[in-house]
């Protein structure tokens, strides 16, 4: 079968997605959209080489995202020019297979890649395709009426699209900008094999497409996990307390082996609990001198790393600080922002609240601060 390479086109700006980063850089379950396709090709045993084509201004950012083992090159003014740049960067022979893919289609499965490569044993080109289920109508500009269109022979064509490298290089050796790469060979009479496509392989064009894909990817995933955490620290000498990564001026400090950040300690425990991996004391024993005075952000990042390793993403967190003093209201927004930044979450997915104990107990006597937290983790979808 020879070798196979992949060219991922990620040079567009995605203006129809609205303001913000280009769609290839948008997060999907905590991972940039482009990285989903890169990782899919990396996992496939028959793919020997991966080229990512991006905008000239994004070369360094893209290389940082895709990491080692992937070649990043600058694209052209049109999609076809970008594809040619990617094909030119491949080190494969003309008789080898190339799969040309749009980064805006992150729902790429291993089966699609395998089926495309197999198709080229008998066909000159191959692409995933879906039948059209809806009724199709054609508008008449002159009368304003409608005319039914026969949907039987029509197909929705997806990417990747597979070719022999030499054949597609020759077919694209023009300045014409094509809607896709199959268009370069479809009029030449060669056999094009349409394999069964995948509804999850939708193209991200509008903002709502990202939400739709997220729902499709999680439809068959394991259920989310949720757990709570609780922590308490007493007041002691000092001129500030650390709460959710923020230094808050106060007449006392909090006593603890680390920086005694009661909010982030509770949150760390909630994440570890959702993973069924014990508690913060199991991972960072208070008897270990290396954690003396340590910033609690290290503990929280450790819990996040364990979630990543287990195939879960932290979806939403909620922290409640329970104290009579200091007053938390003026600092809640900054606490949310610090927590969101550390965990790589949207601000909408981080909640920080505060309450008192109505003068009851050790909190009511202003002897310390307690916190409780909850975290929701969702499994990272895997496309087999």
């Amino acid at each position: 079968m020879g070798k196979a390479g992949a060219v991922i086109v990620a040079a567009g700006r995605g203006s129809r997605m609205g303001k913000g980063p280009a769609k290839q850089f948008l997060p999907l379950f905590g991972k940039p959209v482009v990285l989903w396709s890169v990782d899919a090709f990396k996992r496939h045993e028959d793919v020997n080489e991966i080229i990512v084509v991006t905008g000239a201004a994004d070369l360094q950012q893209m290389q940082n995202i895709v990491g080692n083992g992937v070649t990043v090159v600058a694209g052209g003014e049109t999609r076809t020019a970008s594809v040619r740049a990617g094909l030119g960067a491949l080190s494969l022979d003309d008789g080898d297979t190339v799969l040309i893919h749009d980064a805006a289609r992150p729902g790429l499965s291993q089966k699609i890649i395998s089926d495309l490569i197999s198709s080229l044993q008998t066909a000159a080109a191959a692409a995933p395709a879906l039948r059209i289920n809806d009724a199709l109508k054609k508008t008449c500009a002159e009368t304003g009426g409608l005319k039914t269109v026969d949907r039987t022979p029509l197909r929705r064509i997806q990417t990747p699209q597979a070719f022999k490298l030499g054949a597609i290089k020759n077919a694209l050796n023009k300045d014409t900008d094509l809607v896709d790469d199959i268009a370069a060979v479809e009029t030449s009479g060669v056999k094009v094999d349409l394999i069964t496509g995948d509804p999850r392989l939708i193209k991200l064009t509008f903002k709502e497409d990202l939400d739709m894909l997220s729902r499709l990817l999680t439809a068959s995933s394991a259920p989310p996990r949720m757990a709570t955490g609780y922590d308490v620290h007493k007041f002691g000498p000092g001129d500030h307390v650390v709460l959710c990564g923020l230094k808050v001026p106060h007449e006392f400090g909090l006593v603890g082996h680390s920086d005694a950040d009661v909010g982030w300690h509770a949150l760390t425990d909630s994440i570890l609990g959702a993973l069924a991996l014990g508690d913060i004391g199991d991972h960072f024993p208070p008897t270990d001198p290396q954690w003396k005075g340590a910033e609690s952000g290290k503990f929280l990042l450790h819990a996040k790393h364990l979630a990543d390793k287990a195939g879960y993403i932290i979806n939403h967190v909620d922290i409640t600080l329970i104290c009579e003093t200091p007053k938390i209201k003026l600092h809640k927004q900054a606490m949310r922002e610090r927590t969101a930044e550390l965990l790589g979450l949207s601000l909408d997915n981080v909640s920080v609240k505060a309450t008192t104990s109505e003068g009851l107990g050790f909190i009511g006597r202003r002897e310390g601060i307690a916190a409780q937290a909850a975290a929701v983790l969702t499994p990272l979808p895997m496309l087999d």
Side-chain angles (χ1 to χ4, degrees):
M1 293 177 59
K3 296 181 179 180
V7 171
I8 302 173
V9 185
R13 302 311 304 169
S15 57
R16 286 176 289 183
M17 291 288 286
K19 295 181 180 179
K23 56 189 174 183
Q24 57 267 33
F25 299 119
L26 290 174
L28 175 62
F29 294 103
K31 186 165 73 170
V33 162
V34 65
L35 196 55
W36 283 78
S37 298
V38 170
D39 287 347
F41 284 121
K42 277 185 175 180
R43 290 199 309 272
H44 201 282
E45 61 182 3
D46 293 331
V47 176
N48 308 98
E49 188 175 0
I50 302 171
I51 308 293
V52 175
V53 187
T54 192
D58 299 324
L59 285 170
Q60 189 58 58
Q61 180 184 3
M62 184 64 75
Q63 191 67 69
N64 292 340
I65 289 173
V66 301
N68 297 328
V70 177
T71 301
V72 178
V73 299
E77 292 297 321
T78 64
R79 183 190 182 281
T80 299
S82 293
V83 171
R84 286 201 298 264
L87 296 176
L90 286 168
S91 63
L92 303 179
D93 296 330
D94 283 352
D96 291 328
T97 297
V98 59
L99 296 98
I100 305 173
H101 185 51
D102 291 328
R105 296 183 186 270
L108 177 59
S109 70
Q110 300 295 285
K111 184 178 187 305
I112 290 289
I113 299 173
S114 295
D115 289 349
L116 288 170
I117 293 174
S118 296
S119 290
L120 287 199
Q121 296 183 60
T122 57
L130 293 173
R131 296 181 182 273
I132 297 174
N133 298 325
D134 299 316
L136 293 179
K137 304 289 182 179
K138 182 179 180 181
T139 59
C140 179
E142 296 178 355
T143 65
L146 296 174
K147 182 179 180 180
T148 299
V149 177
D150 182 12
R151 68 190 180 199
T152 305
L154 301 179
R155 297 291 184 271
R156 293 165 50 198
I157 305 300
Q158 302 175 315
T159 70
Q161 297 175 358
F163 310 86
K164 294 301 181 184
L165 178 58
I168 190 60
K169 285 170 70 175
N170 291 334
L172 291 176
N173 193 23
K174 298 177 182 178
D175 293 331
T176 306
D177 189 32
L178 304 171
V179 65
D180 68 358
D181 305 296
I182 289 290
V185 300
E186 62 188 21
T187 60
S188 62
V190 301
K191 181 183 179 184
V192 177
D193 190 12
L194 296 182
I195 67 167
T196 301
D198 189 333
R200 299 172 299 179
L201 201 48
I202 65 171
K203 185 177 182 180
L204 302 179
T205 303
F206 303 102
K207 277 189 174 180
E208 56 267 28
D209 295 334
L210 196 60
D211 181 63
M212 182 186 300
L213 178 58
S214 298
R215 295 173 187 272
L216 287 172
L217 292 179
T218 57
S220 59
S221 297
R225 294 185 176 192
M226 181 269 183
T228 61
Y230 178 82
D231 194 42
V232 59
H233 284 279
K234 66 180 180 180
F235 286 129
D239 59 6
H240 71 275
V241 294
V242 179
L243 297 171
C244 300
L246 188 71
K247 287 186 176 181
V248 178
H250 189 49
E251 58 185 321
F252 298 108
L254 285 173
V255 178
H257 187 62
S258 63
D259 62 6
D261 188 334
V262 64
W264 276 3
H265 286 187
L267 181 56
T268 300
D269 261 356
S270 68
I271 296 169
L272 293 173
L275 297 169
L277 291 176
D279 59 35
I280 194 170
D282 296 325
H283 296 262
F284 304 98
T287 55
D288 191 336
Q290 70 172 310
W291 306 121
K292 179 67 175 177
E295 294 182 0
S296 295
K298 294 180 180 179
F299 307 156
L300 193 52
L301 284 176
H302 174 74
K304 181 181 184 300
H305 171 73
L306 292 177
D308 294 340
K309 187 176 178 181
Y312 283 84
I313 60 169
I314 302 169
N315 187 268
H316 186 86
V317 299
D318 174 63
I319 302 169
T320 301
L321 300 171
I322 310 167
C323 59
E324 300 289 340
T325 183
K327 297 302 180 184
I328 305 299
K329 184 176 181 179
L330 295 177
H331 306 288
K332 285 195 299 184
Q333 185 66 13
M335 293 176 185
R336 290 179 66 207
E337 291 171 355
R338 284 179 180 263
T339 305
E341 181 181 10
L342 189 73
L343 294 177
L345 294 176
S346 165
L347 197 60
D348 293 338
N349 296 108
V350 176
S351 169
V352 175
K353 310 190 301 293
T355 189
T356 69
S357 65
E358 300 293 337
L360 300 175
F362 77 90
I363 294 174
R365 295 191 298 270
R366 304 191 177 203
E367 296 174 359
I369 299 178
Q372 61 183 28
V376 177
L377 277 60
T378 53
L380 187 66
M382 290 296 291
L383 289 151
D384 296 329

